[in-house]
Amino acid sequence: MTNTQVEVMQFIKEQDVRFVRLVFCDIFGQIKNISISADELGRAFASGISFDASAVKGFLQVDESDLLLFPDPATLSILPWRPAQGRVVRFFCSIRRPDGSRFEGDGRSLLEETVQKAALQGYQFGVGPECEFYLFKLNDEGQPTYTPIDRGTYLDVAPLDKGENVRREICLNLEQMGFYTERSHHESGPGQHEIDFKYSSPLEAADNFITFRSVVKTIADRSGLFASFLPKPLPTESGSGLHINLSITREGEQSRLLEQQMTAGILNRIKEISLFLNPLVNSYERLGSFEAPRYIGWGQANRSLLIRIPQTSGEYRRIEVRSADPSCNPYLAITLLLNAALEGIREGLTPPEEYVGSAYQMQKGTTLPSSLAEAMELAQNSSFVQSIIPQRLFSYFLEAKKADWLAYEEAVDKSEASRKNVFFTT
Protein backbone atom coordinates (compact mmCIF):
# COMPACT_ATOMS: atom_id res chain seq x y z
CA MET A 1 0.00 0.00 0.00
CA THR A 2 1.31 3.49 -0.85
CA ASN A 3 2.29 5.33 2.32
CA THR A 4 3.75 8.73 1.45
CA GLN A 5 2.57 11.81 -0.39
CA VAL A 6 5.62 11.67 -2.66
CA GLU A 7 4.81 8.10 -3.72
CA VAL A 8 1.17 9.02 -4.23
CA MET A 9 1.98 11.95 -6.50
CA GLN A 10 4.32 9.77 -8.55
CA PHE A 11 1.63 7.08 -8.85
CA ILE A 12 -0.93 9.67 -9.99
CA LYS A 13 1.41 10.82 -12.74
CA GLU A 14 2.45 7.35 -13.95
CA GLN A 15 -1.06 5.84 -13.97
CA ASP A 16 -2.82 8.59 -15.93
CA VAL A 17 -5.08 9.50 -13.00
CA ARG A 18 -7.34 12.44 -13.84
CA PHE A 19 -9.84 12.48 -10.99
CA VAL A 20 -9.54 12.02 -7.24
CA ARG A 21 -12.41 11.19 -4.94
CA LEU A 22 -12.07 12.41 -1.37
CA VAL A 23 -14.20 10.08 0.74
CA PHE A 24 -15.59 10.52 4.24
CA CYS A 25 -18.60 9.34 6.23
CA ASP A 26 -21.37 11.17 8.02
CA ILE A 27 -22.13 10.30 11.64
CA PHE A 28 -24.38 7.42 10.53
CA GLY A 29 -21.64 5.77 8.45
CA GLN A 30 -23.06 6.76 5.07
CA ILE A 31 -20.35 7.39 2.49
CA LYS A 32 -19.89 10.89 1.03
CA ASN A 33 -17.33 12.21 -1.43
CA ILE A 34 -16.00 15.19 -3.34
CA SER A 35 -14.31 14.71 -6.71
CA ILE A 36 -11.33 16.93 -7.55
CA SER A 37 -8.94 16.95 -10.48
CA ALA A 38 -5.60 15.22 -9.99
CA ASP A 39 -3.89 18.61 -10.28
CA GLU A 40 -5.61 19.69 -7.05
CA LEU A 41 -4.32 16.79 -4.96
CA GLY A 42 -1.19 18.61 -3.80
CA ARG A 43 -3.35 21.41 -2.42
CA ALA A 44 -5.59 18.86 -0.72
CA PHE A 45 -2.61 17.37 1.12
CA ALA A 46 -1.27 20.79 2.09
CA SER A 47 -4.33 22.77 3.09
CA GLY A 48 -7.40 20.55 2.64
CA ILE A 49 -10.47 20.81 0.44
CA SER A 50 -13.43 22.68 1.92
CA PHE A 51 -17.06 21.60 1.83
CA ASP A 52 -20.38 22.83 3.17
CA ALA A 53 -20.80 20.80 6.35
CA SER A 54 -24.23 22.30 7.05
CA ALA A 55 -25.52 20.22 4.12
CA VAL A 56 -24.37 16.97 5.77
CA LYS A 57 -26.90 15.76 8.32
CA GLY A 58 -25.51 15.84 11.85
CA PHE A 59 -22.42 17.91 11.05
CA LEU A 60 -22.73 21.73 11.43
CA GLN A 61 -25.26 24.54 11.39
CA VAL A 62 -25.36 27.05 8.52
CA ASP A 63 -23.57 29.73 10.59
CA GLU A 64 -20.44 27.57 11.00
CA SER A 65 -20.55 25.43 7.89
CA ASP A 66 -16.96 25.20 6.62
CA LEU A 67 -14.96 22.01 7.18
CA LEU A 68 -11.88 20.67 5.38
CA LEU A 69 -11.02 17.24 4.00
CA PHE A 70 -7.41 16.03 4.26
CA PRO A 71 -6.72 12.83 2.27
CA ASP A 72 -4.85 9.98 3.98
CA PRO A 73 -2.13 8.94 1.50
CA ALA A 74 -2.09 5.40 2.89
CA THR A 75 -5.62 4.83 1.59
CA LEU A 76 -4.98 5.39 -2.11
CA SER A 77 -7.01 3.01 -4.24
CA ILE A 78 -8.00 2.89 -7.92
CA LEU A 79 -11.71 2.51 -8.68
CA PRO A 80 -11.44 -0.46 -11.09
CA TRP A 81 -14.90 -0.08 -12.63
CA ARG A 82 -14.04 3.40 -13.89
CA PRO A 83 -12.29 3.93 -17.29
CA ALA A 84 -8.66 2.79 -17.64
CA GLN A 85 -7.83 6.06 -19.40
CA GLY A 86 -8.28 9.10 -17.23
CA ARG A 87 -8.41 6.91 -14.14
CA VAL A 88 -10.22 7.68 -10.91
CA VAL A 89 -8.67 7.04 -7.48
CA ARG A 90 -10.06 7.33 -3.98
CA PHE A 91 -8.70 8.43 -0.60
CA PHE A 92 -10.28 8.29 2.83
CA CYS A 93 -9.99 11.64 4.58
CA SER A 94 -9.76 13.15 8.01
CA ILE A 95 -12.07 16.10 8.70
CA ARG A 96 -10.76 19.26 10.32
CA ARG A 97 -12.02 22.70 11.21
CA PRO A 98 -10.48 25.77 9.55
CA ASP A 99 -8.24 26.27 12.61
CA GLY A 100 -6.73 22.80 12.06
CA SER A 101 -8.46 21.10 14.99
CA ARG A 102 -10.11 17.71 14.53
CA PHE A 103 -13.83 17.85 13.82
CA GLU A 104 -15.68 16.06 16.60
CA GLY A 105 -18.11 14.47 14.15
CA ASP A 106 -15.30 12.58 12.39
CA GLY A 107 -15.72 8.96 13.49
CA ARG A 108 -12.61 7.88 11.59
CA SER A 109 -10.37 10.19 13.62
CA LEU A 110 -12.10 9.01 16.79
CA LEU A 111 -11.19 5.40 16.00
CA GLU A 112 -7.65 6.44 15.09
CA GLU A 113 -7.26 8.09 18.51
CA THR A 114 -8.49 4.94 20.27
CA VAL A 115 -5.96 2.78 18.39
CA GLN A 116 -3.17 5.20 19.31
CA LYS A 117 -4.25 5.18 22.96
CA ALA A 118 -4.16 1.38 23.01
CA ALA A 119 -0.73 1.34 21.36
CA LEU A 120 0.68 3.63 24.04
CA GLN A 121 -0.41 1.00 26.57
CA GLY A 122 1.28 -1.75 24.54
CA TYR A 123 -1.90 -3.24 23.01
CA GLN A 124 -2.60 -3.98 19.35
CA PHE A 125 -5.98 -5.07 18.06
CA GLY A 126 -6.85 -7.03 14.95
CA VAL A 127 -10.31 -6.75 13.39
CA GLY A 128 -11.92 -9.04 10.83
CA PRO A 129 -15.53 -8.28 9.81
CA GLU A 130 -17.89 -10.88 8.32
CA CYS A 131 -20.70 -9.13 6.48
CA GLU A 132 -24.02 -10.47 5.19
CA PHE A 133 -26.27 -8.78 2.63
CA TYR A 134 -29.19 -9.48 0.31
CA LEU A 135 -29.47 -9.18 -3.48
CA PHE A 136 -32.91 -8.16 -4.73
CA LYS A 137 -34.37 -7.92 -8.23
CA LEU A 138 -35.45 -4.66 -9.85
CA ASN A 139 -38.90 -4.03 -11.34
CA ASP A 140 -39.63 -2.94 -14.93
CA GLU A 141 -38.96 0.70 -13.97
CA GLY A 142 -35.56 -0.19 -12.53
CA GLN A 143 -36.69 0.25 -8.92
CA PRO A 144 -35.81 -2.24 -6.15
CA THR A 145 -38.29 -4.90 -5.09
CA TYR A 146 -38.41 -7.27 -2.14
CA THR A 147 -37.96 -10.24 -4.50
CA PRO A 148 -34.64 -12.04 -3.83
CA ILE A 149 -32.39 -12.99 -6.72
CA ASP A 150 -32.77 -16.70 -5.85
CA ARG A 151 -34.24 -19.22 -3.38
CA GLY A 152 -30.88 -20.63 -2.33
CA THR A 153 -29.91 -21.56 1.23
CA TYR A 154 -26.66 -21.90 3.19
CA LEU A 155 -23.63 -22.81 1.02
CA ASP A 156 -25.76 -23.69 -2.01
CA VAL A 157 -24.15 -23.68 -5.46
CA ALA A 158 -25.47 -22.82 -8.92
CA PRO A 159 -28.11 -23.07 -10.21
CA LEU A 160 -29.69 -22.57 -6.76
CA ASP A 161 -27.14 -19.86 -6.03
CA LYS A 162 -27.70 -17.19 -8.69
CA GLY A 163 -25.41 -14.66 -7.06
CA GLU A 164 -22.08 -16.43 -7.53
CA ASN A 165 -21.03 -14.25 -10.48
CA VAL A 166 -21.93 -11.08 -8.61
CA ARG A 167 -19.86 -12.22 -5.59
CA ARG A 168 -17.00 -13.04 -7.95
CA GLU A 169 -17.08 -9.56 -9.47
CA ILE A 170 -17.23 -8.01 -6.01
CA CYS A 171 -14.20 -9.95 -4.81
CA LEU A 172 -12.18 -9.25 -7.98
CA ASN A 173 -12.89 -5.53 -7.81
CA LEU A 174 -11.99 -5.42 -4.13
CA GLU A 175 -8.73 -7.25 -4.87
CA GLN A 176 -7.84 -4.66 -7.52
CA MET A 177 -8.35 -2.03 -4.83
CA GLY A 178 -5.85 -3.78 -2.54
CA PHE A 179 -8.55 -5.22 -0.29
CA TYR A 180 -8.44 -8.99 0.11
CA THR A 181 -11.35 -11.19 1.10
CA GLU A 182 -10.93 -14.58 2.76
CA ARG A 183 -14.10 -16.38 1.71
CA SER A 184 -17.54 -15.83 0.22
CA HIS A 185 -20.67 -17.96 -0.03
CA HIS A 186 -24.45 -18.04 -0.20
CA GLU A 187 -26.00 -17.49 3.21
CA SER A 188 -29.14 -18.98 4.78
CA GLY A 189 -31.74 -16.59 3.39
CA PRO A 190 -32.97 -16.49 -0.22
CA GLY A 191 -30.72 -14.11 -2.12
CA GLN A 192 -28.54 -13.66 0.98
CA HIS A 193 -24.74 -13.68 0.74
CA GLU A 194 -21.68 -13.33 2.96
CA ILE A 195 -18.15 -12.12 2.26
CA ASP A 196 -15.47 -12.22 4.98
CA PHE A 197 -12.57 -9.78 5.18
CA LYS A 198 -8.93 -10.54 5.81
CA TYR A 199 -7.76 -9.49 9.29
CA SER A 200 -6.30 -5.99 9.53
CA SER A 201 -5.85 -3.07 11.90
CA PRO A 202 -9.04 -1.51 13.33
CA LEU A 203 -8.82 1.61 11.15
CA GLU A 204 -8.13 -0.36 7.98
CA ALA A 205 -10.96 -2.77 8.81
CA ALA A 206 -13.45 0.09 9.19
CA ASP A 207 -12.22 1.68 5.94
CA ASN A 208 -12.54 -1.71 4.26
CA PHE A 209 -16.10 -2.10 5.44
CA ILE A 210 -17.08 1.29 4.00
CA THR A 211 -15.33 0.32 0.76
CA PHE A 212 -17.06 -3.06 0.80
CA ARG A 213 -20.56 -1.62 1.12
CA SER A 214 -19.87 0.81 -1.72
CA VAL A 215 -18.41 -1.85 -4.03
CA VAL A 216 -21.21 -4.34 -3.33
CA LYS A 217 -23.85 -1.72 -4.17
CA THR A 218 -21.97 -0.59 -7.28
CA ILE A 219 -21.44 -4.09 -8.70
CA ALA A 220 -25.01 -5.12 -7.86
CA ASP A 221 -26.35 -2.07 -9.66
CA ARG A 222 -24.16 -2.78 -12.70
CA SER A 223 -25.59 -6.31 -12.66
CA GLY A 224 -29.20 -5.08 -12.68
CA LEU A 225 -29.75 -5.85 -8.98
CA PHE A 226 -30.12 -4.04 -5.69
CA ALA A 227 -27.91 -4.86 -2.70
CA SER A 228 -29.44 -4.29 0.73
CA PHE A 229 -27.55 -4.14 4.03
CA LEU A 230 -30.74 -3.73 6.03
CA PRO A 231 -30.59 -5.99 9.13
CA LYS A 232 -33.98 -7.65 8.49
CA PRO A 233 -35.29 -6.93 4.98
CA LEU A 234 -37.49 -10.05 4.85
CA PRO A 235 -39.55 -10.56 8.04
CA THR A 236 -39.66 -14.38 7.84
CA GLU A 237 -36.07 -14.97 6.71
CA SER A 238 -32.62 -14.76 8.21
CA GLY A 239 -31.36 -11.29 9.06
CA SER A 240 -28.03 -9.83 7.95
CA GLY A 241 -25.37 -9.43 10.61
CA LEU A 242 -21.94 -7.84 10.83
CA HIS A 243 -19.91 -10.29 12.90
CA ILE A 244 -16.82 -8.49 14.22
CA ASN A 245 -13.83 -10.71 15.00
CA LEU A 246 -11.40 -9.17 17.49
CA SER A 247 -7.92 -10.27 18.50
CA ILE A 248 -5.50 -8.61 20.90
CA THR A 249 -1.78 -8.80 21.61
CA ARG A 250 0.41 -7.05 24.14
CA GLU A 251 3.81 -6.13 22.69
CA GLY A 252 3.20 -8.72 19.97
CA GLU A 253 2.32 -11.59 22.33
CA GLN A 254 -1.06 -13.30 22.67
CA SER A 255 -2.56 -13.95 26.09
CA ARG A 256 -5.60 -15.97 27.11
CA LEU A 257 -6.02 -13.66 30.12
CA LEU A 258 -6.18 -10.59 27.85
CA GLU A 259 -8.76 -12.32 25.68
CA GLN A 260 -10.89 -13.12 28.72
CA GLN A 261 -10.67 -9.57 30.05
CA MET A 262 -11.52 -8.20 26.61
CA THR A 263 -14.56 -10.50 26.49
CA ALA A 264 -15.65 -9.42 29.97
CA GLY A 265 -15.31 -5.74 29.12
CA ILE A 266 -17.48 -6.06 26.02
CA LEU A 267 -20.11 -8.14 27.82
CA ASN A 268 -20.18 -5.51 30.57
CA ARG A 269 -20.88 -2.60 28.20
CA ILE A 270 -22.72 -4.20 25.30
CA LYS A 271 -26.20 -3.02 26.29
CA GLU A 272 -25.03 0.59 26.58
CA ILE A 273 -23.31 0.58 23.18
CA SER A 274 -26.00 -1.34 21.27
CA LEU A 275 -27.45 1.90 19.87
CA PHE A 276 -24.27 2.28 17.80
CA LEU A 277 -24.00 -1.38 16.82
CA ASN A 278 -27.71 -1.67 15.97
CA PRO A 279 -28.84 1.84 14.96
CA LEU A 280 -32.14 1.16 13.16
CA VAL A 281 -35.65 0.25 14.26
CA ASN A 282 -35.24 -2.71 11.92
CA SER A 283 -32.06 -3.83 13.76
CA TYR A 284 -34.08 -5.14 16.69
CA GLU A 285 -36.27 -7.31 14.48
CA ARG A 286 -33.14 -9.31 13.63
CA LEU A 287 -31.89 -9.90 17.19
CA GLY A 288 -33.15 -13.13 18.73
CA SER A 289 -34.26 -14.75 15.48
CA PHE A 290 -32.48 -17.48 13.54
CA GLU A 291 -28.86 -17.36 14.86
CA ALA A 292 -28.77 -13.66 15.75
CA PRO A 293 -28.05 -13.25 19.48
CA ARG A 294 -30.53 -12.03 22.06
CA TYR A 295 -28.76 -13.14 25.21
CA ILE A 296 -25.60 -11.68 26.72
CA GLY A 297 -23.21 -14.53 27.21
CA TRP A 298 -20.24 -16.24 25.64
CA GLY A 299 -19.24 -19.74 24.61
CA GLN A 300 -17.34 -21.80 22.08
CA ALA A 301 -20.10 -23.64 20.25
CA ASN A 302 -23.37 -21.76 20.74
CA ARG A 303 -23.93 -19.34 17.85
CA SER A 304 -26.95 -17.74 19.50
CA LEU A 305 -24.73 -16.16 22.17
CA LEU A 306 -23.39 -12.64 21.94
CA ILE A 307 -19.70 -13.63 21.88
CA ARG A 308 -18.43 -16.84 20.32
CA ILE A 309 -14.89 -18.16 20.72
CA PRO A 310 -14.08 -19.95 17.45
CA GLN A 311 -12.11 -23.20 17.61
CA THR A 312 -8.87 -21.63 16.41
CA SER A 313 -5.35 -21.15 17.75
CA GLY A 314 -2.20 -19.16 17.16
CA GLU A 315 -2.51 -16.09 14.96
CA TYR A 316 -6.15 -16.97 14.18
CA ARG A 317 -7.25 -16.95 17.83
CA ARG A 318 -9.98 -14.38 18.34
CA ILE A 319 -13.41 -13.61 19.76
CA GLU A 320 -16.43 -13.05 17.54
CA VAL A 321 -18.95 -10.36 18.54
CA ARG A 322 -22.19 -11.34 16.80
CA SER A 323 -24.74 -8.63 17.65
CA ALA A 324 -23.73 -5.78 15.31
CA ASP A 325 -25.40 -5.35 11.93
CA PRO A 326 -24.19 -3.77 8.66
CA SER A 327 -26.30 -0.62 9.03
CA CYS A 328 -23.89 0.67 11.70
CA ASN A 329 -21.16 3.28 11.41
CA PRO A 330 -18.12 0.96 11.67
CA TYR A 331 -15.85 3.69 13.03
CA LEU A 332 -18.13 4.34 16.01
CA ALA A 333 -18.99 0.65 16.54
CA ILE A 334 -15.35 -0.50 16.60
CA THR A 335 -14.30 2.50 18.72
CA LEU A 336 -16.82 1.56 21.41
CA LEU A 337 -15.96 -2.15 21.30
CA LEU A 338 -12.23 -1.43 21.68
CA ASN A 339 -12.82 0.97 24.56
CA ALA A 340 -14.99 -1.63 26.30
CA ALA A 341 -12.23 -4.19 25.78
CA LEU A 342 -9.59 -1.81 27.18
CA GLU A 343 -11.78 -1.12 30.20
CA GLY A 344 -12.10 -4.85 30.84
CA ILE A 345 -8.32 -5.18 30.75
CA ARG A 346 -7.69 -2.09 32.87
CA GLU A 347 -10.10 -3.22 35.58
CA GLY A 348 -9.12 -6.89 35.38
CA LEU A 349 -12.68 -8.02 34.70
CA THR A 350 -13.52 -11.70 34.56
CA PRO A 351 -16.23 -13.01 32.22
CA PRO A 352 -19.04 -15.11 33.66
CA GLU A 353 -18.80 -18.86 33.35
CA GLU A 354 -18.90 -20.04 29.76
CA TYR A 355 -22.43 -20.91 28.71
CA VAL A 356 -22.64 -24.30 27.05
CA GLY A 357 -26.38 -24.97 27.00
CA SER A 358 -29.26 -23.41 25.12
CA ALA A 359 -29.19 -19.62 25.20
CA TYR A 360 -32.95 -19.59 25.54
CA GLN A 361 -32.67 -21.08 29.03
CA MET A 362 -30.61 -18.17 30.38
CA GLN A 363 -31.98 -16.08 33.23
CA LYS A 364 -33.91 -12.89 32.64
CA GLY A 365 -31.93 -9.65 32.70
CA THR A 366 -29.17 -10.94 30.42
CA THR A 367 -30.68 -9.85 27.13
CA LEU A 368 -29.72 -7.21 24.60
CA PRO A 369 -32.08 -4.24 24.13
CA SER A 370 -35.34 -5.28 22.53
CA SER A 371 -36.03 -2.03 20.66
CA LEU A 372 -34.38 1.12 19.39
CA ALA A 373 -36.15 3.05 22.16
CA GLU A 374 -34.59 0.85 24.86
CA ALA A 375 -31.16 1.12 23.23
CA MET A 376 -31.46 4.93 23.15
CA GLU A 377 -32.35 5.08 26.85
CA LEU A 378 -29.40 2.86 27.79
CA ALA A 379 -26.96 4.95 25.75
CA GLN A 380 -28.38 8.22 27.05
CA ASN A 381 -27.83 7.08 30.64
CA SER A 382 -24.35 5.70 29.98
CA SER A 383 -21.41 7.69 31.30
CA PHE A 384 -19.18 5.21 29.46
CA VAL A 385 -20.65 6.01 26.04
CA GLN A 386 -20.64 9.74 26.67
CA SER A 387 -17.01 9.65 27.81
CA ILE A 388 -16.03 8.27 24.37
CA ILE A 389 -18.48 9.72 21.84
CA PRO A 390 -18.14 13.54 21.60
CA GLN A 391 -21.15 15.32 23.06
CA ARG A 392 -22.10 17.08 19.85
CA LEU A 393 -21.94 13.91 17.76
CA PHE A 394 -23.89 11.99 20.41
CA SER A 395 -26.62 14.66 20.58
CA TYR A 396 -27.12 14.73 16.81
CA PHE A 397 -27.10 10.95 16.59
CA LEU A 398 -29.63 10.59 19.39
CA GLU A 399 -31.87 13.28 17.94
CA ALA A 400 -31.98 11.47 14.58
CA LYS A 401 -32.70 8.10 16.20
CA LYS A 402 -35.54 9.60 18.25
CA ALA A 403 -37.05 10.91 15.03
CA ASP A 404 -36.75 7.44 13.49
CA TRP A 405 -38.51 5.89 16.48
CA LEU A 406 -41.30 8.49 16.48
CA ALA A 407 -41.93 7.93 12.76
CA TYR A 408 -42.10 4.19 13.39
CA GLU A 409 -44.50 4.59 16.32
CA GLU A 410 -46.81 6.78 14.26
CA ALA A 411 -46.77 4.51 11.21
CA VAL A 412 -49.87 2.51 10.34
CA ASP A 413 -47.88 -0.28 8.66
CA LYS A 414 -45.06 -0.83 11.15
CA SER A 415 -43.50 -3.69 9.19
CA GLU A 416 -43.09 -1.46 6.16
CA ALA A 417 -41.96 1.50 8.29
CA SER A 418 -39.12 -0.53 9.82
CA ARG A 419 -37.85 -1.34 6.33
CA LYS A 420 -38.07 2.18 4.94
CA ASN A 421 -34.29 2.44 4.42
CA VAL A 422 -34.02 -0.75 2.37
CA PHE A 423 -34.06 1.05 -0.97
CA PHE A 424 -31.84 3.97 -0.12
CA THR A 425 -29.22 4.14 2.63
CA THR A 426 -28.77 0.48 3.47
Side-chain angles (χ1 to χ4, degrees), residues 36-111:
I36 62 174
S37 70
D39 293 338
E40 290 292 294
L41 184 56
R43 182 168 71 89
F45 282 133
S47 56
I49 299 296
S50 66
F51 70 99
D52 180 5
S54 67
V56 179
K57 187 176 180 182
F59 269 22
L60 295 178
Q61 301 297 326
V62 70
D63 60 345
E64 50 169 358
S65 61
D66 288 338
L67 289 175
L68 298 165
L69 297 176
F70 286 83
D72 180 349
T75 63
L76 167 66
S77 183
I78 287 177
L79 300 186
W81 56 87
R82 302 297 292 156
Q85 291 185 329
R87 283 181 163 179
V88 181
V89 298
R90 174 229 68 192
F91 294 91
F92 281 99
C93 299
S94 60
I95 309 174
R96 301 180 195 169
R97 291 182 176 275
D99 63 4
S101 61
R102 181 182 66 82
F103 172 54
E104 60 272 25
D106 182 7
R108 189 173 189 272
S109 292
L110 192 65
L111 176 56

Side-chain angles (χ1 to χ4, degrees), residues 343-368:
E343 182 186 62
I345 294 167
R346 183 172 61 251
E347 298 187 2
L349 300 182
T350 302
E353 183 177 353
E354 177 183 357
Y355 198 80
V356 296
S358 169
Y360 296 98
Q361 297 172 359
M362 297 183 76
Q363 296 179 353
K364 292 181 178 180
T366 60
T367 61
L368 292 164

Side-chain angles (χ1 to χ4, degrees), residues 397-416:
F397 194 95
L398 194 63
E399 180 183 347
K401 296 299 107 179
K402 286 180 177 178
D404 288 348
W405 181 253
L406 180 62
Y408 171 75
E409 285 286 271
E410 293 178 346
V412 175
D413 185 345
K414 286 185 164 46
S415 176
E416 183 62 26

Side-chain angles (χ1 to χ4, degrees), residues 61-254:
Q61 301 297 326
V62 70
D63 60 345
E64 50 169 358
S65 61
D66 288 338
L67 289 175
L68 298 165
L69 297 176
F70 286 83
D72 180 349
T75 63
L76 167 66
S77 183
I78 287 177
L79 300 186
W81 56 87
R82 302 297 292 156
Q85 291 185 329
R87 283 181 163 179
V88 181
V89 298
R90 174 229 68 192
F91 294 91
F92 281 99
C93 299
S94 60
I95 309 174
R96 301 180 195 169
R97 291 182 176 275
D99 63 4
S101 61
R102 181 182 66 82
F103 172 54
E104 60 272 25
D106 182 7
R108 189 173 189 272
S109 292
L110 192 65
L111 176 56
E112 191 171 27
E113 288 181 359
T114 296
V115 172
Q116 292 171 350
K117 178 179 71 175
L120 289 174
Q121 300 172 45
Y123 302 115
Q124 295 82 39
F125 290 96
V127 179
E130 302 173 5
C131 188
E132 299 165 338
F133 60 94
Y134 272 85
L135 293 175
F136 291 114
K137 295 180 180 179
L138 304 179
N139 63 20
D140 293 340
E141 286 74 41
Q143 297 300 310
T145 70
Y146 289 125
T147 305
I149 186 178
D150 61 40
R151 302 304 300 178
T153 59
Y154 187 60
L155 300 186
D156 275 342
V157 298
L160 287 175
D161 173 12
K162 298 188 183 303
E164 61 178 9
N165 287 334
V166 179
R167 291 200 310 274
R168 174 182 175 275
E169 286 300 310
I170 290 168
C171 292
L172 288 176
N173 276 272
L174 289 171
E175 184 175 338
Q176 291 181 63
M177 298 176 74
F179 168 6
Y180 295 96
T181 57
E182 288 191 332
R183 60 184 66 86
S184 66
H185 58 84
H186 199 288
E187 254 298 337
S188 301
Q192 188 184 31
H193 306 268
E194 177 178 316
I195 297 178
D196 301 344
F197 306 2
K198 188 175 181 180
Y199 251 69
S200 56
S201 70
L203 189 61
E204 187 176 358
D207 287 346
N208 285 347
F209 178 65
I210 296 298
T211 299
F212 174 78
R213 281 197 308 204
S214 177
V215 170
V216 168
K217 283 189 165 292
T218 297
I219 300 304
D221 184 68
R222 290 165 65 91
S223 303
L225 300 168
F226 177 79
S228 173
F229 290 93
L230 199 71
K232 192 75 169 176
L234 300 176
T236 61
E237 301 291 349
S238 177
S240 291
L242 175 65
H243 303 156
I244 301 176
N245 292 277
L246 299 173
S247 65
I248 185 170
T249 59
R250 178 161 47 199
E251 298 177 349
E253 297 294 326
Q254 289 184 316

